[in-house]
Amino acid sequence: MTQPHAPSLGGIHHVAYRCRDAKETVDFYRDVLGMDFQLAIAEDKVPSTGAPDPYMHVFLDCGGGNVLAFFELPNSPAMDRDRATPEWVQHIAFKVDSEDDLLAAKARLEARGLDVVGPVHHGVFKSIYFFDPNGHRLELAWQFGTPDQMGRLKAVADDMLEEWSRTRRAPRHAAWLHEEAAQG
């Protein structure tokens, strides 16, 4: 019996996270990051389960046809993060067009009183990191890797994953990336 074809994906429709306060969240993403507030959906019951659980679901355009969404759930316990996962792991990364844009964003965020880490040089991109009002870690990233560099990374991706799977130690297949980043 043949397997059905994998779906033909056209990208991410939206990614949804929880928020403490929908208005505060929309204000932050609209005013601080310049996202366009697209729509809000509110129900007293969850459409997929029928469970009585009122919510506000907000959608923001984060560029390139990508949508970031949030749920405020007033009847649920206070939100928290996964304490078993380090704070730096789970994050949302947004693209910026240039290093100047990255540095301007850092200055804007700091002027609004946010703590910003970076820029951090990752070899083929530079990033800054900060938190939204809900405690979600955010990243702005400027990618400057050349097609050759990106091709070299893709060429070793499967081998790196296989080695990691066996050893749980960082493979050295792309050590050149970190060495170049350390140089400048």
Side-chain angles (χ1 to χ4, degrees):
M1 182 173 167
T2 59
Q3 290 290 327
H5 293 284
S8 176
L9 302 179
I12 293 175
H13 183 275
H14 69 275
V15 176
Y17 290 85
R18 186 168 175 201
C19 66
R20 294 182 184 116
D21 180 297
K23 182 173 181 349
E24 175 188 49
T25 299
V26 167
D27 288 347
F28 175 85
Y29 283 89
R30 182 172 35 201
D31 298 344
V32 176
L33 295 178
M35 292 186 190
D36 186 33
F37 179 36
Q38 296 288 299
L39 65 118
I41 299 172
E43 300 283 342
D44 289 321
K45 292 183 181 177
V46 179
S48 60
T49 67
D53 195 4
Y55 66 86
M56 170 60 72
H57 193 21
V58 295
F59 297 77
L60 297 124
D61 180 348
C62 54
N66 298 289
V67 175
L68 179 61
F70 292 92
F71 282 97
E72 181 181 340
L73 307 170
N75 292 345
S76 294
M79 66 179 280
D80 198 6
R81 65 175 197 81
D82 174 2
R83 299 284 168 188
T85 302
E87 205 172 50
W88 59 268
V89 172
Q90 294 175 332
H91 64 278
I92 308 166
F94 302 102
K95 298 176 189 177
V96 295
D97 290 332
S98 69
E99 187 169 26
D100 287 343
D101 288 344
L102 187 67
L103 296 175
K106 178 179 179 170
R108 177 182 173 84
L109 295 164
E110 289 175 337
R112 291 177 172 261
L114 295 169
D115 292 326
V116 180
V117 173
V120 176
H121 195 310
H122 297 286
V124 292
F125 62 96
K126 289 184 182 180
S127 300
I128 60 172
Y129 301 91
F130 55 98
F131 289 89
D132 82 356
N134 305 295
H136 300 301
R137 191 174 200 217
L138 305 178
E139 173 183 0
L140 298 183
W142 165 56
Q143 185 160 326
F144 55 83
T146 66
D148 177 63
Q149 289 172 317
M150 302 312 289
R152 288 173 64 193
L153 290 170
K154 181 164 179 47
V156 298
D158 283 322
D159 292 338
M160 288 180 70
L161 182 60
E162 180 60 34
E163 183 176 329
W164 173 264
S165 184
R166 285 191 327 272
T167 68
R168 295 301 190 263
R169 293 197 174 124
R172 303 288 301 155
H173 297 73
W176 59 269
L177 179 69
H178 304 289
E179 292 162 2
E180 288 180 13
Q183 293 173 5

